[in-house]
Amino acid sequence: MEINLISERYKNDRVPAFELSDVQKEYVRRFAEKCESGEYSFRKRECECGKGDFEVIAQKDRYGLPVETVICRNCGLIMTNPCLDDKSNNSFYDGEYHYIYRAEEAPSEERFEERKKEAGTIIDFIQNHTGIDSGSVLEIGCADGGNIAAFAEKGYKATGIDLSHTYVEYGKEKGLDLYCSDATSFAQKGQQFDIVVLNHVLEHFTDLEKELSTITALMKDTGVLFVAVPGVKYLTFGAYERDFLLMLQNAHIFNFTKDTLCQTMKKYGFDSIFANEAVYALFKKGNPESSFSDHYTDTISYLKCVEESGGDVDTLMVHRVGSKLSECKKGDVLLYGTARELDALVQQLPDLTAIRGFFYTDRKTPEEVVEYMKCNGIHELVIIDVKNDKRIVGRISDLIEGSSIRFMSVYRELF
Ligand SMILES: [Zn+2]
């Protein structure tokens, strides 16, 4: 496999990307020992697109473990390859996982409350994009059940499953409907749900075909699947600090962008309802279709840009808009944003041929902008929305419904 490391920092020198706690160090040591003794074994993976032509972009993960991360040159999917086989993987999740990843020895009230609070965003997201605000919910990989508690408080009939005995027992003591089970065994009960939640879980699956067919069986025909995964193009999430190395961890089989997630899900019969680069996504049941586009160049050039600029937000915004413009036809893009940001951005863009013009948010309303685009046959709108003003984006989104206009919103918190 060809090696094309993002930078020298990604070579295998066993150095963790941040200071580990004593608990983490101990369990990283145990993990490495099991790998070396052969107690844990690894297997090579094929790409989801079926035409895996991989190159290695990292030789260690954030804990300094010697894990290889590859990108597919055909579709741009980023994966840990090789990865733990199923038996080793299950043992890892019941053993070292929680200690390495949560940096804590036992479930805690603090973490439970934190999770419960975070669940509010998920509940709102599902309601806003599907209109579903009641019914039954199943969370796969629910840990201590913090999310389940939040759903239950809002009146949903909420159930959770997880592989960690310790965490499931903790949540059960709080009266939550939790089971220590994998999805396949749980599905044998034959229950179907209105909402299935995979919150930072899908990226851990070693066998997507098996897991996603189980999930299909667990969903009602009218059901929706909520998926949150770390977004490769959204490095401000949690502790990633605009550093891709901090995102890499041996437990993550996949590192998705919005596009690589959606095309992978489509292969298994899930149609996207809504997805962003965060990545927060909603899917419904559809027909399986294998239509993979090439997201190699845009993903790798973005990652190199993050690395070279040290995660500088201005540089990343220019890069994001620049790659969008390079995909668009001559004169088919309108820019819309505040004068200050727009002027600064336009000066730095390498190629302006795709741009027809720009409007300032304090001079033109979303209605006027969309009307102008319709009258002039312009199809692409790029909103430079520094404050991430959801009213502008929401209004534009309503106005263009049913038309051939597409838009992209770029804002500072995106990076
Ligand atoms: Zn591929």
Side-chain angles (χ1 to χ4, degrees), residues 133-163:
D133 60 2
S134 61
S136 54
V137 180
L138 173 68
E139 182 177 16
I140 298 170
C142 65
D144 56 25
N147 290 337
I148 293 303
F151 272 103
E153 266 180 23
K154 295 250 179 187
Y156 293 84
K157 190 180 175 306
T159 305
I161 59 174
D162 199 277
L163 292 173

Side-chain angles (χ1 to χ4, degrees), residues 24-52:
Q24 284 175 310
K25 279 183 197 155
E26 171 58 18
Y27 282 87
V28 161
R29 192 191 61 74
R30 288 191 201 184
F31 178 81
E33 203 173 86
K34 288 181 182 178
C35 296
E36 275 153 27
S37 73
E39 186 177 339
Y40 282 169
S41 42
F42 290 81
R43 70 177 170 88
K44 281 220 165 71
R45 302 190 62 86
E46 294 299 317
C47 188
E48 290 300 319
C49 72
K51 295 182 191 124

Side-chain angles (χ1 to χ4, degrees), residues 256-270:
F256 290 109
T257 64
K258 169 177 73 106
D259 294 321
T260 59
L261 174 69
C262 290
Q263 60 186 11
T264 300
M265 294 299 286
K266 186 63 189 153
K267 176 184 170 187
Y268 298 105
F270 288 92

Side-chain angles (χ1 to χ4, degrees), residues 58 80 83 165 181 201-202 233 241 295 332 354 358 397:
T80 298
C83 69
H165 288 92
S181 170
V201 165
L202 184 81
K233 293 186 177 176
E241 298 167 15
H295 294 287
D332 204 23
F358 49 88
S397 175

Side-chain angles (χ1 to χ4, degrees), residues 78 200 203 227-238 240 242-244 247 249 252 254-261 276-280 299 302-303 306 320 414-415:
I78 297 175
H200 290 264
E203 69 273 25
V227 176
V229 293
V232 167
K233 293 186 177 176
Y234 188 72
L235 293 170
T236 44
F237 176 81
Y240 301 147
R242 298 187 214 116
D243 183 355
F244 183 59
M247 183 182 272
Q249 38 201 297
H252 287 182
F254 299 100
N255 291 285
F256 290 109
T257 64
K258 169 177 73 106
D259 294 321
T260 59
L261 174 69
N276 58 29
E277 292 288 2
V279 171
Y280 261 32
T299 306
Y302 167 77
L303 288 175
V306 171
R320 177 69 59 87
L414 187 65
F415 298 101

